[in-house]
Amino acid sequence: MLPAIQRFDQVLRTAVRWTAGGLLLAVTVLAVVQVFARYVLNDSIVWGEEMIRLLYVWLVLVAATAAPHMRIGLLADAATGVLGFVLASVRVAIMIALLLLLVRGALTLNASFGGDRYVTLGITKSWYWSGAIVCGILWIVLLVTGLLSRREETVE
C-alpha cells in the first residue's frame, strides 16, 4: 500500500508543479500583453488587472503546497529512524492544525464576501477565497502523503 501512496505523492507533486508553472506563464503573458496594449497601442485591457490578481493568488497558493519550506533542521536532521519519524509527525501535525485554521478562515471570508463580484470579470469573489480552501486541503494531503512516504523509508 505504501508504494501506491509514494507514487500518488509523486504524481500529485508533479501535477502541482505543472499547475504552478502554467499559472506563472499565464500571469506573465497577460502582464506583458497588458503593458504592450497600454504603452504601445495606447489602450488598456480592462479586465487584465483583476485577472492577474486572481491568477497570482492561485499561483502563490498552489506553489506553496509543494515547495520546500524553510526550517531549522538541527534536531530533525540529526534524528534518524523512529525518532526522526516522530519529530516529522509532530511537525506535520502542527502544520495541519495551522492549515485547518487557514481553510476555516477562507470558508468564513467566502461566506461573507464570496457573493461580491469582480467589476470587470463578472465572476464572484468566491474564486479568490476558493484558492485558500482548495490549496489548504491539497497542502494537507501532500503533508500526509509525504509523511507516509518518509515512514516507508524509515521502515526499510
Side-chain angles (χ1 to χ4, degrees):
M1 173 122 171
L2 286 177
I5 292 173
Q6 286 178 325
R7 180 72 183 135
F8 176 73
D9 182 63
Q10 291 172 346
V11 167
L12 195 54
R13 287 178 192 279
T14 301
V16 166
R17 287 187 187 102
W18 277 97
T19 302
L23 287 168
L24 179 61
L25 180 64
V27 166
T28 303
V29 167
L30 188 54
V32 168
V33 169
Q34 188 174 10
V35 168
F36 178 81
R38 183 175 297 145
Y39 293 106
V40 175
L41 303 177
N42 204 23
D43 197 6
S44 173
I45 302 173
V46 180
W47 51 268
E49 185 177 338
E50 285 183 348
M51 180 60 85
I52 288 173
R53 187 179 318 124
L54 180 61
L55 291 175
Y56 191 70
V57 166
W58 274 85
L59 167 63
V60 168
L61 291 168
V62 167
T65 60
H69 297 282
M70 213 176 10
R71 65 186 178 92
I72 300 173
L74 181 65
L75 184 59
D77 292 343
T80 58
V82 175
L83 179 60
F85 182 73
V86 168
L87 289 174
S89 298
V90 169
R91 177 181 51 102
V92 166
I94 291 169
M95 290 175 71
I96 288 173
L98 294 172
L99 286 167
L100 287 173
L101 287 173
L102 173 82
V103 170
R104 180 176 175 233
L107 285 167
T108 302
L109 289 168
N110 193 31
S112 298
F113 304 109
D116 295 351
R117 293 196 167 278
Y118 283 103
V119 175
T120 60
L121 291 176
I123 60 174
T124 65
K125 292 197 176 175
S126 65
W127 282 98
Y128 187 81
W129 304 112
S130 296
I133 297 165
V134 169
C135 293
I137 293 168
L138 177 63
W139 199 339
I140 290 170
V141 170
L142 286 170
L143 284 170
V144 171
T145 58
L147 182 67
L148 293 175
S149 296
R150 181 178 172 152
R151 172 74 174 128
E152 176 71 15
E153 295 168 4
T154 305
V155 171
E156 293 176 352

